[in-house]
Amino acid sequence: MCQTIIDDQNFITINYTTNKLFVGQYCNCQFTTCNFENSDLAYQIFEDCTFSNCNLSMATLNQTSLKNVTFKDCKMMGLRFDNCKPFLFEVSFLNCQLQLSSFYGWNVKKTVFAKCILHEVDFTNADLSFAVLDECDAARAIFNNTNLQKAQLQTAYNFSINPVQNNITEATFSKYGLEGLLEQYKINVV
């Protein structure tokens, strides 16, 4: 599919729930205070883009390309990142709400999640090696057969990670995170 290339544009306070985003390849674009809630972003290509203070909750990401995309202060509930195109997938999240989103079986190696709410996010079978979860609330996030090798979780909190079911080799945790590693053993940590 031949797509129009849109370079170096700023999109500010646009409601894409009523105005569908033109299908194209967006390069080095800024989306600020835009509403993409329940929008269809299938087959879009975003490269070197930033989304700031946007609502992307429940947007469709089928075959969407996210190449070096930064999300800041965004509401991103219920997103299926595992439906994106895997080729050159690279994202970072700062102060985002990602509740109920899915990275099932996804390669999010070296991804930075900073000050994010990760409640009930599905990381089953995902590769989070070398990832950073900095000051993230991971309450009820699902870590099952997840590769967390060399991941940095020393400031993450409310997580429950079974060390037997997940690869946590050389991952970094604080002593305050031990409770989240021992929870399945029904041990009281005081």
Side-chain angles (χ1 to χ4, degrees):
M1 178 188 329
C2 184
Q3 293 184 320
T4 302
I5 297 174
I6 299 101
D7 283 322
D8 303 310
Q9 296 292 314
N10 292 322
F11 301 90
I12 301 170
T13 318
I14 300 173
N15 186 354
Y16 291 108
T17 62
T18 54
N19 303 311
K20 187 174 165 106
L21 182 66
F22 183 80
V23 177
Q25 181 174 348
Y26 294 84
C27 299
N28 200 35
C29 292
Q30 308 284 322
F31 295 89
T32 306
T33 320
C34 293
N35 187 3
F36 294 93
E37 187 173 16
N38 291 308
S39 294
D40 186 359
L41 300 177
Y43 301 100
Q44 298 284 11
I45 298 172
F46 299 102
E47 187 172 344
D48 299 318
C49 292
T50 301
F51 291 81
S52 298
N53 200 31
C54 293
N55 182 357
L56 294 111
S57 295
M58 300 302 293
T60 302
L61 298 176
N62 294 339
Q63 296 301 303
T64 303
S65 291
L66 299 174
K67 304 172 184 178
N68 191 33
V69 176
T70 300
F71 298 96
K72 296 179 185 175
D73 304 307
C74 290
K75 185 176 178 184
M76 309 175 74
M77 298 169 61
L79 293 182
R80 295 287 311 268
F81 290 98
D82 50 336
N83 288 338
C84 290
K85 280 193 173 180
F87 184 67
L88 298 176
F89 180 88
E90 184 182 350
V91 291
S92 61
F93 304 94
L94 174 60
N95 199 37
C96 292
Q97 299 176 38
L98 288 151
Q99 295 99 311
L100 299 166
S101 292
S102 177
F103 294 92
Y104 181 92
W106 209 242
N107 182 353
V108 280
K109 194 177 208 176
K110 299 181 181 177
T111 299
V112 174
F113 298 86
K115 298 180 181 178
C116 293
I117 297 174
L118 302 174
H119 294 181
E120 300 180 66
V121 171
D122 190 356
F123 291 113
T124 301
N125 295 322
D127 184 353
L128 278 167
S129 57
F130 300 93
V132 177
L133 276 71
D134 182 30
E135 296 184 39
C136 290
D137 183 351
R140 297 176 309 285
I142 302 166
F143 296 94
N144 187 13
N145 197 35
T146 306
N147 183 2
L148 291 158
Q149 186 174 11
K150 296 187 179 181
Q152 296 178 32
L153 293 102
Q154 61 265 33
T155 59
Y157 55 97
N158 292 332
F159 60 84
S160 178
I161 298 171
N162 185 329
V164 176
Q165 295 177 346
N166 298 281
N167 179 359
I168 61 168
T169 305
E170 296 185 55
T172 307
F173 298 92
S174 76
K175 62 183 175 183
Y176 304 105
L178 291 179
E179 185 176 351
L181 295 171
L182 299 172
E183 184 176 0
Q184 63 277 352
Y185 298 113
K186 310 247 187 269
I187 297 171
N188 293 321
V189 179
V190 290

